[in-house]
């Protein structure tokens, strides 16, 4: 095998002819002068759409960063002509070793896309000798290509979960859609609004939107409105975790009211006891420490309204224990109790839950929760911390999709 063939094989490129190699006299870099093979040159193509296009000019000499050769950085160098595309006008001709508009070879891009989701930014930057911002640009470029090549990823879905996750200061959010059956991330985009969610259903299409059977969510009005509008056949299931959280908030409201009443009445000892009882009231009974059990017993003996609020919270949590449609009857019994409890925060909560009763009953009957989506959100938050320093949301979105949407491919040169 000739030395030129060895170089192209080592660089992971095809249909490329090596014309010369030299090491820069000042910078520790190796420059490989290349050109497309004759068959490629005789059929110039648009760099954007890869359609045949006539030559416009001879262009100029350009460079692309390739994978390192030992301690040396390697660059490909070639004369790149312009072509006249019927759709895109005058653009740079396509080359077999790099994507259009890229400053790196395809194998370099793919190596970065393999490393970045699983490695720290310092490791990627030092090992590949690139800036972390460059990593974001490469991921965006690779993801844009894969998104158009990997077929229809939305085919056959029937049950989805929808939620939002914050990714920066200042109320910035990503809308997340997950497939309940496969656990794959289907969609992630900046924003949390009806317009944002409608874009997902636009991608899904009318026929497949009507084929959805279940949609889980957290009770957000913007989700419920779009699901009713675009997926009218789907059962909307309100996530039980959020309902129990509402009960926890109502309990904390009662605790603060009782504490403030005791403090203002001069009962300092009672106020001190109530101030430190928050975790005893919030935690599951089986997880309480001995000290917390003693505090709960004290509340039971001395403060009936607060203990009643605690029992209401616990009873609602038990409504969502494993079961089926029979749990709906327990929910109705809880609503009747909460309405008669004479605790304003729980009376208000009962009215709220009645407004969502159908969606909660769907969750109980069909056993569909947002657990998969919450698990996905935890992974996304980890990637957000790892992507710290990316200048664009698209770079963050690309990393999330590469990791969680099934786009990951082997490291170049591996099968």
């Amino acid at each position: 095998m000739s030395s030129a063939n060895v170089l192209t094989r080592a660089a992971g490129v095809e249909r490329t002819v090596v014309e010369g190699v030299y090491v820069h006299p000042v910078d520790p870099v190796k420059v490989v002068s290349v050109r497309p093979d004759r068959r490629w040159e005789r059929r110039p193509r648009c760099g954007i759409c890869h359609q045949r296009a006539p030559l416009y000019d001879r262009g100029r000499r350009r460079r692309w960063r390739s994978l390192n050769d030992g301690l040396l950085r390697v660059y490909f160098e070639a004369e790149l002509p312009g072509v006249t595309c019927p759709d895109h006008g005058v653009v740079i001709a396509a080359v077999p070793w790099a994507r259009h508009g890229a400053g790196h070879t395809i194998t370099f891009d793919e190596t970065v896309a393999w490393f970045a989701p699983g490695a720290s930014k310092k490791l990627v930057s030092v090992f590949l000798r690139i800036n972390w911002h460059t990593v974001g640009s490469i991921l965006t470029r690779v993801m844009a290509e894969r998104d158009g090549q990997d077929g229809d990823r939305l085919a056959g879905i029937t049950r989805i979960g929808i939620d939002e996750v914050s990714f920066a200061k200042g109320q910035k959010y990503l809308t997340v859609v997950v497939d309940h059956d496969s656990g794959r991330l289907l969609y992630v985009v900046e924003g949390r609004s009806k317009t944002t969610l409608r874009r997902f259903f636009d991608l899904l299409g009318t026929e497949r939107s009507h084929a959805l059977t279940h949609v889980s969510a957290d009770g957000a009005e913007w989700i419920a409105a779009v699901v009713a509008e675009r997926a009218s056949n789907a059962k909307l299931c309100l996530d039980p975790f959020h309902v129990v959280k509402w009960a926890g908030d109502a309990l904390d409201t009662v605790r603060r009211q009782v504490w403030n009443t005791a403090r203002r009445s001069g009962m300092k000892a009672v106020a001190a006891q109530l101030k430190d009882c928050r975790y005893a009231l919030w935690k599951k009974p089986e997880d309480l420490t001995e000290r917390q059990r003693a505090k709960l017993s004290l509340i039971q003996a001395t403060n009936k309204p607060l203990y009643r609020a605690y029992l209401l919270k616990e009873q609602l949590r038990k409504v969502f224990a494993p079961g089926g449609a029979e749990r709906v009857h327990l929910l109705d019994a809880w609503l009747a109790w909460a309405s008669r409890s004479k605790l304003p925060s729980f009376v208000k909560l009962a009215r709220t839950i009645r407004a969502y009763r159908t969606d909660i009953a769907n969750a109980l009957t069909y056993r569909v929760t947002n657990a998969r989506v919450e698990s996905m959100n935890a992974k996304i938050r980890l990637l957000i911390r790892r992507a710290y320093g990316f200048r664009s949301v698209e770079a963050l979105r690309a990393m999330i999709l590469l990791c969680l949407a099934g786009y990951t491919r082997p490291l170049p040169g591996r099968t």
Side-chain angles (χ1 to χ4, degrees), residues 18-81:
V18 176
E19 295 183 321
V21 180
Y22 68 92
V23 176
H24 197 279
V26 179
D27 298 328
V29 301
K30 182 166 77 172
V31 179
V32 181
S33 182
V34 297
R35 64 172 175 81
D37 64 16
R38 291 192 180 280
R39 185 179 178 187
W40 187 285
E41 281 186 323
R42 286 197 300 265
R43 299 186 175 192
R45 297 178 180 273
C46 170
I48 299 174
C49 62
H50 284 246
Q51 298 299 315
R52 292 284 301 278
L55 287 175
Y56 175 79
D57 60 18
R58 297 186 62 182
R60 61 184 178 85
R61 202 154 189 83
R62 299 171 184 270
R63 277 188 178 184
W64 297 264
R65 173 74 186 281
S66 186
L67 294 173
N68 298 337
D69 183 5
L71 300 179
L72 295 176
R73 286 174 294 168
V74 177
Y75 288 87
F76 277 23
E77 190 176 71
E79 293 285 349
L80 197 56

Side-chain angles (χ1 to χ4, degrees), residues 248-396:
D249 294 341
L251 170 61
D252 208 41
T253 299
V254 175
R255 182 190 64 82
R256 287 196 301 270
Q257 290 172 346
V258 172
W259 175 72
N260 282 324
T261 301
R263 182 172 57 85
R264 289 165 184 165
S265 302
M267 296 183 290
K268 296 183 178 180
V270 176
Q273 292 172 351
L274 293 174
K275 186 176 181 180
D276 298 329
C277 71
R278 186 178 185 186
Y279 290 107
L281 293 167
W282 274 20
K283 288 173 70 174
K284 298 177 182 178
E286 58 269 24
D287 295 335
L288 293 173
T289 64
E290 289 299 325
R291 182 180 177 184
Q292 289 168 343
R293 286 195 184 94
K295 194 169 286 291
L296 197 59
S297 298
L298 182 63
I299 292 171
Q300 181 181 8
T302 60
N303 201 302
K304 299 301 182 182
L306 183 56
Y307 190 69
R308 191 185 319 133
Y310 167 76
L311 292 178
L312 280 164
K313 185 267 293 184
E314 279 302 307
Q315 187 60 40
L316 184 60
R317 187 174 66 83
K318 291 179 181 179
V319 167
F320 296 104
E326 72 279 359
R327 293 282 164 180
V328 178
H329 300 299
L330 295 179
L331 176 65
D332 291 335
W334 185 92
L335 288 171
W337 182 22
S339 299
R340 300 192 307 268
S341 65
K342 298 182 181 180
L343 299 171
S345 61
F346 277 91
V347 173
K348 180 180 177 181
L349 175 60
R351 286 198 298 267
T352 301
I353 292 179
R354 278 198 179 91
Y356 289 100
R357 184 189 176 282
T358 301
D359 299 340
I360 297 173
N362 287 337
L364 293 169
T365 303
Y366 300 106
R367 304 182 187 182
V368 177
T369 72
N370 243 20
R372 275 194 182 275
V373 188
E374 294 297 337
S375 174
M376 186 68 69
N377 285 348
K379 296 174 184 176
I380 289 174
R381 290 188 186 96
L382 175 61
L383 292 174
I384 289 170
R385 288 197 295 272
R386 187 178 293 160
Y388 176 76
F390 278 176
R391 291 179 177 174
S392 74
V393 179
E394 281 304 309
L396 170 62

Side-chain angles (χ1 to χ4, degrees), residues 191-212:
R192 56 162 185 174
S193 65
K194 294 179 182 179
T195 302
T196 303
L197 189 55
R198 284 189 183 110
R199 290 181 203 154
F200 167 74
F201 285 102
D202 289 340
L203 290 174
L204 192 60
T206 303
E207 185 177 341
R208 291 186 298 190
S209 295
H210 288 314
L212 293 175

Side-chain angles (χ1 to χ4, degrees), residues 44-266:
R45 297 178 180 273
C46 170
I48 299 174
C49 62
H50 284 246
Q51 298 299 315
R52 292 284 301 278
L55 287 175
Y56 175 79
D57 60 18
R58 297 186 62 182
R60 61 184 178 85
R61 202 154 189 83
R62 299 171 184 270
R63 277 188 178 184
W64 297 264
R65 173 74 186 281
S66 186
L67 294 173
N68 298 337
D69 183 5
L71 300 179
L72 295 176
R73 286 174 294 168
V74 177
Y75 288 87
F76 277 23
E77 190 176 71
E79 293 285 349
L80 197 56
V83 296
T84 305
C85 176
D87 297 327
H88 302 102
V90 177
V91 295
I92 302 301
V95 292
W97 57 79
R99 296 179 172 94
H100 179 72
H104 307 80
T105 63
I106 291 174
T107 50
F108 191 92
D109 282 355
E110 294 293 332
T111 300
V112 171
W114 187 87
F115 266 107
S120 69
K121 66 179 181 180
K122 183 176 181 180
L123 188 151
V124 177
S125 300
V126 173
F127 182 73
L128 296 173
R129 300 180 185 180
I130 54 176
N131 190 283
W132 185 242
H133 303 312
T134 305
V135 175
S137 300
I138 291 173
L139 292 179
T140 303
R141 184 165 59 241
V142 172
M143 191 62 240
E145 181 181 274
R146 290 187 185 176
D147 208 18
Q149 291 180 346
D150 282 17
D152 187 359
R153 300 177 54 258
L154 301 179
I157 62 171
T158 57
R159 304 191 307 156
I160 62 172
I162 305 171
D163 202 358
E164 77 274 354
V165 58
S166 62
F167 70 92
K169 294 181 180 179
Q171 298 293 311
K172 294 184 178 180
Y173 292 88
L174 298 170
T175 295
V176 177
V177 182
V178 176
D179 181 8
H180 276 297
D181 297 312
S182 67
R184 284 187 301 111
L185 177 65
L186 298 174
Y187 180 76
V188 57
V189 71
E190 183 182 7
R192 56 162 185 174
S193 65
K194 294 179 182 179
T195 302
T196 303
L197 189 55
R198 284 189 183 110
R199 290 181 203 154
F200 167 74
F201 285 102
D202 289 340
L203 290 174
L204 192 60
T206 303
E207 185 177 341
R208 291 186 298 190
S209 295
H210 288 314
L212 293 175
T213 59
H214 301 87
V215 177
S216 66
D218 61 0
E221 188 276 333
W222 60 275
I223 297 177
V226 175
V227 170
E229 173 190 318
R230 296 293 188 90
S232 54
N233 295 333
K235 301 289 186 182
L236 185 60
C237 304
L238 183 61
D239 185 40
F241 172 82
H242 291 84
V243 180
V244 175
K245 182 178 181 298
W246 294 345
D249 294 341
L251 170 61
D252 208 41
T253 299
V254 175
R255 182 190 64 82
R256 287 196 301 270
Q257 290 172 346
V258 172
W259 175 72
N260 282 324
T261 301
R263 182 172 57 85
R264 289 165 184 165
S265 302

